[in-house]
Amino acid sequence: MGDNLNEILENEWFLVRHSGETPEIALHSSIYYLTRAKEGPSATLNKDQLDSLLKAAIERFSEIVLRDLQHANCGNESYRGLGRSIINYRRFCTFCLRQKIDPGEVRRQTANALQVFLATEFALVNDGKRPSIINCSYRELQVFAAELGIDLAGRFAGIAALCLPIDLMMSENRNIHGT
């Protein structure tokens, strides 16, 4: 079963790594399939095998958090904007707590990407090239930036004007939730 298990593990790694918006669910589904599912191989996974699957989930989380902090992705079908990046980053942090892993590297990458995103957004909007694509309130951005160790008061002092007004956010939430 060794070679066959390696092939099955490789396939499960691929499913976790390319799992769309739900890497944690894909990770747990793969582990369940590999170890307990009737139709699975009923394998006992060693630490390296589990770590490989965990790393695939971390890489996917990183990818979806950073995807929405890239201006080059704006307009792509998969782009959801800064607001979605905030949600995905927080899901990642919750995942890290549950898995007892350090989110440090993804946090650093996210902080760097957010700073580049905000600087680029500032430049594009202030040059009159297009309206802002920031799809969260200034308060949401402030909290996110603080989580990443970024001070908006200095370099990004005028960014509040590019954020969604809180009234609009409340209106959008009512539309989404049907209230």
Side-chain angles (χ1 to χ4, degrees), residues 6-92:
N6 286 337
E7 184 178 331
I8 293 169
L9 271 165
E10 208 172 289
N11 289 337
E12 291 302 311
W13 178 93
F14 184 86
L15 290 171
V16 173
R17 180 60 185 86
H18 301 284
S19 58
E21 300 293 312
T22 58
E24 184 170 20
I25 292 169
L27 171 67
H28 291 295
S29 294
S30 286
I31 292 171
Y32 176 80
Y33 169 74
L34 290 165
T35 61
R36 296 192 312 267
K38 285 182 200 175
E39 68 279 0
S42 298
T44 301
L45 302 178
N46 65 38
K47 182 176 177 357
D48 288 342
Q49 292 165 327
L50 286 168
D51 285 349
S52 174
L53 292 170
L54 183 63
K55 186 177 180 202
I58 292 167
E59 289 171 0
R60 181 61 189 155
F61 264 117
S62 177
E63 190 172 71
I64 63 175
V65 168
L66 297 174
R67 169 198 66 207
D68 293 322
L69 292 174
Q70 306 297 317
H71 278 89
N73 292 333
C74 183
N76 290 349
E77 192 175 300
S78 64
Y79 185 77
R80 304 288 186 264
L82 178 56
R84 188 56 178 204
S85 184
I86 293 169
I87 290 167
N88 284 327
Y89 178 76
R90 290 187 180 138
R91 285 180 179 164
F92 170 70

Side-chain angles (χ1 to χ4, degrees), residues 134-150:
I134 295 178
N135 63 347
C136 65
S137 71
Y138 181 63
R139 181 70 186 131
E140 289 171 309
L141 178 57
Q142 280 181 309
V143 172
F144 185 47
E147 291 169 3
L148 298 172
I150 299 169

